[in-house]
Amino acid sequence: MHKFILAAVSSLALSACGMEGQEEQNADTETASRADAGADYGYETYADDNLADTMASSDQAYMSDDSPTPRDSERVSRDASDLGSGAVEIPDAEERPTMQAQVILDRRGFGPGVIDGKMGMSTQNALRGFQGANGLEVTGKLDEATKEALSQWERIPATRVVTVPQSWGEETYKKVPDDPAEQAKMERLGYNSLDERLAERFHTTVDVLKRLNPGGKPAGMQGEPSGRTSSSPATVSRSTASPTPSASATRSGSSEQSGSPAGTFFKAGEQVRVPNIGADRIAPGAIDNRDWQRTLASLGVGSEQPTVDRVVVSKSEGTLKAYSGEELVALFTVTSGSEHDPLPLGNWKITGIAKNTPFSYDPELFWDVPDTEEKQQLPPGPNGPVGVVWIDLSKEHYGIHGTPEPQTIGRTQSHGCVRLTNWDAARLAEMVSQSTKVEFVA
């Protein structure tokens, strides 16, 4: 059995998933501040009281209880500075009711998985969780009663337009190889491309982003897209953007890419329409690990998460439910176990939480990998085998973790562990502690 050491935990074991971590990296107890956020945290921050990146949600514009619901015409005329330095008001070319519901559910803690505007399994699970938590008939459908319950957040649009930070163009993106031996040679298992990074930031896929930006410009935009970040209001009218071919759409990929290379559809400084995810505020001083704070920002996950005392993973439903007392406060679709490594039913404890940790790869622990392969020490990163976080359990060899392939959640088997999207795993990591009880049920 392989082990890793955490600052607050003597040892944790990861075996069914075939991974094990090392000592948690960058454990920095200094309090964050606006002054050091840009330089020390490595990204441009949203505002003095919010250490999320400049693409942070426009919650204060859309969710003020004492302000009227902003219609498209009102939002166009509003000063863009209300929405953060990276946001620009451009009305969408079409209504997107399913995506709007997904955005609201995601903000409320009922994760629809990948936000794609489709009524898939993860969205149905999220609706069931929301319905059950709000005393509605549990149908898993966007029925009239559910629409009425969600209508209190109707001012939140399905999408928004952001400007990709210029700093993203200063970084290098390297394709993560499939071979663990080649992965071990990398300093970090980071994003393959700026496109992939942007998709994960907004809880979606590159294909969905391309659909929201036909021809390489935000749906609804007239004229050519730009990297404008000024606070002057955007004066555009509603229209349907024609999906004409663009140079960026026909480029081929490469193994190593800067932020504006051939091979990426989106570039730093460009305006991009994205799903309007929120609840991404990072309060100054809330996160004492600087590397983890940057991870939360990169995933659009805020620091203000509910504290939960019980987590229930259902094998039959494919869900993870988080409770505060008897109140259901979060639900996420998961992948849990396989015929080779079934979910171990029973009650377990959380023995530690490892964030952005490297892992030891042991082929003997994978039923689908030849034992003749060599063991490898893999660096941390969102494209690592267990994503950005490992929540270790008292059941030997089992844990709850993220994934490099969010679109596969609920659709493919795991190596025995409970797997979530990186953004849901990061959110859960901010909710639980070693006092949280974990139940695996049929």
Short mmCIF file of all heavy atoms in Angstrom, two decimals, residues 108-109 303-309 322 324 329-330 427-428 430-432:
data_model
loop_
_atom_site.label_atom_id
_atom_site.label_comp_id
_atom_site.label_asym_id
_atom_site.label_seq_id
_atom_site.Cartn_x
_atom_site.Cartn_y
_atom_site.Cartn_z
N ARG A 108 -26.63 27.40 -7.39
CA ARG A 108 -27.31 27.01 -6.15
C ARG A 108 -26.69 25.77 -5.51
O ARG A 108 -27.16 25.32 -4.45
CB ARG A 108 -28.80 26.77 -6.41
CG ARG A 108 -29.55 27.95 -7.00
CD ARG A 108 -29.42 29.20 -6.17
NE ARG A 108 -29.95 29.01 -4.83
CZ ARG A 108 -29.81 29.87 -3.83
NH1 ARG A 108 -29.09 30.97 -4.03
NH2 ARG A 108 -30.34 29.65 -2.67
N GLY A 109 -25.68 25.17 -6.15
CA GLY A 109 -25.02 24.00 -5.56
C GLY A 109 -25.52 22.68 -6.09
O GLY A 109 -25.08 21.62 -5.61
N SER A 303 -15.02 30.84 -2.61
CA SER A 303 -14.61 30.38 -1.28
C SER A 303 -15.78 30.26 -0.32
O SER A 303 -15.65 29.67 0.75
CB SER A 303 -13.58 31.36 -0.70
OG SER A 303 -14.14 32.66 -0.56
N GLU A 304 -16.93 30.83 -0.68
CA GLU A 304 -18.08 30.86 0.23
C GLU A 304 -18.98 29.66 -0.03
O GLU A 304 -19.99 29.74 -0.72
CB GLU A 304 -18.82 32.18 0.04
CG GLU A 304 -17.94 33.38 0.42
CD GLU A 304 -18.49 34.72 -0.08
OE1 GLU A 304 -19.18 34.71 -1.12
OE2 GLU A 304 -18.21 35.73 0.55
N GLN A 305 -18.58 28.53 0.53
CA GLN A 305 -19.32 27.28 0.38
C GLN A 305 -19.94 26.87 1.71
O GLN A 305 -19.41 27.18 2.78
CB GLN A 305 -18.38 26.17 -0.10
CG GLN A 305 -17.66 26.46 -1.41
CD GLN A 305 -18.60 26.54 -2.60
OE1 GLN A 305 -19.70 26.00 -2.58
NE2 GLN A 305 -18.16 27.23 -3.66
N PRO A 306 -21.08 26.17 1.68
CA PRO A 306 -21.70 25.72 2.93
C PRO A 306 -20.85 24.64 3.60
O PRO A 306 -20.11 23.91 2.94
CB PRO A 306 -23.04 25.15 2.46
CG PRO A 306 -22.80 24.73 1.05
CD PRO A 306 -21.84 25.75 0.49
N THR A 307 -20.94 24.56 4.91
CA THR A 307 -20.28 23.50 5.66
C THR A 307 -21.22 22.30 5.75
O THR A 307 -22.38 22.45 6.15
CB THR A 307 -19.91 23.98 7.06
OG1 THR A 307 -19.01 25.09 6.96
CG2 THR A 307 -19.25 22.86 7.87
N VAL A 308 -20.75 21.13 5.36
CA VAL A 308 -21.62 19.96 5.38
C VAL A 308 -21.09 18.95 6.38
O VAL A 308 -19.88 18.82 6.59
CB VAL A 308 -21.73 19.32 3.98
CG1 VAL A 308 -22.29 20.32 2.98
CG2 VAL A 308 -20.40 18.79 3.49
N ASP A 309 -22.01 18.24 7.02
CA ASP A 309 -21.61 17.24 8.02
C ASP A 309 -21.90 15.81 7.57
O ASP A 309 -21.55 14.87 8.27
CB ASP A 309 -22.28 17.51 9.37
CG ASP A 309 -23.76 17.80 9.25
OD1 ASP A 309 -24.41 17.16 8.39
OD2 ASP A 309 -24.25 18.66 9.98
N ALA A 322 -24.82 16.28 -0.48
CA ALA A 322 -24.16 16.88 0.69
C ALA A 322 -25.22 17.53 1.57
O ALA A 322 -26.04 18.31 1.08
CB ALA A 322 -23.13 17.90 0.24
N SER A 324 -26.30 19.58 5.26
CA SER A 324 -26.02 20.36 6.46
C SER A 324 -27.17 20.09 7.40
O SER A 324 -28.28 20.60 7.19
CB SER A 324 -25.92 21.85 6.13
OG SER A 324 -25.65 22.60 7.30
N VAL A 329 -27.89 20.55 0.66
CA VAL A 329 -27.35 21.83 0.20
C VAL A 329 -26.57 21.71 -1.10
O VAL A 329 -26.24 22.73 -1.72
CB VAL A 329 -26.45 22.46 1.29
CG1 VAL A 329 -27.27 22.80 2.52
CG2 VAL A 329 -25.27 21.55 1.64
N ALA A 330 -26.26 20.49 -1.54
CA ALA A 330 -25.52 20.32 -2.78
C ALA A 330 -25.74 18.92 -3.31
O ALA A 330 -25.95 17.97 -2.55
CB ALA A 330 -24.03 20.58 -2.59
N ARG A 427 -15.24 22.33 -5.22
CA ARG A 427 -16.32 22.89 -4.39
C ARG A 427 -16.57 22.01 -3.18
O ARG A 427 -16.70 22.50 -2.05
CB ARG A 427 -17.59 23.01 -5.24
CG ARG A 427 -18.75 23.70 -4.53
CD ARG A 427 -19.99 23.73 -5.41
NE ARG A 427 -19.75 24.40 -6.68
CZ ARG A 427 -20.70 24.60 -7.59
NH1 ARG A 427 -21.92 24.16 -7.39
NH2 ARG A 427 -20.41 25.22 -8.71
N LEU A 428 -16.62 20.69 -3.41
CA LEU A 428 -16.83 19.76 -2.30
C LEU A 428 -15.71 19.84 -1.29
O LEU A 428 -15.94 19.76 -0.07
CB LEU A 428 -16.98 18.34 -2.83
CG LEU A 428 -17.25 17.26 -1.79
CD1 LEU A 428 -18.62 17.45 -1.16
CD2 LEU A 428 -17.15 15.87 -2.42
N GLU A 430 -14.13 22.34 -0.35
CA GLU A 430 -14.34 23.50 0.51
C GLU A 430 -15.51 23.31 1.46
O GLU A 430 -15.70 24.11 2.37
CB GLU A 430 -14.56 24.75 -0.36
CG GLU A 430 -13.32 25.21 -1.11
CD GLU A 430 -12.17 25.52 -0.16
OE1 GLU A 430 -12.33 26.44 0.66
OE2 GLU A 430 -11.14 24.83 -0.24
N MET A 431 -16.30 22.26 1.26
CA MET A 431 -17.48 22.01 2.11
C MET A 431 -17.20 21.05 3.25
O MET A 431 -17.79 21.15 4.32
CB MET A 431 -18.62 21.43 1.26
CG MET A 431 -19.16 22.31 0.17
SD MET A 431 -20.50 21.46 -0.72
CE MET A 431 -20.92 22.68 -1.96
N VAL A 432 -16.30 20.08 3.00
CA VAL A 432 -16.13 18.98 3.95
C VAL A 432 -14.90 19.18 4.83
O VAL A 432 -14.05 20.03 4.57
CB VAL A 432 -16.01 17.64 3.20
CG1 VAL A 432 -17.24 17.38 2.35
CG2 VAL A 432 -14.74 17.61 2.34
#
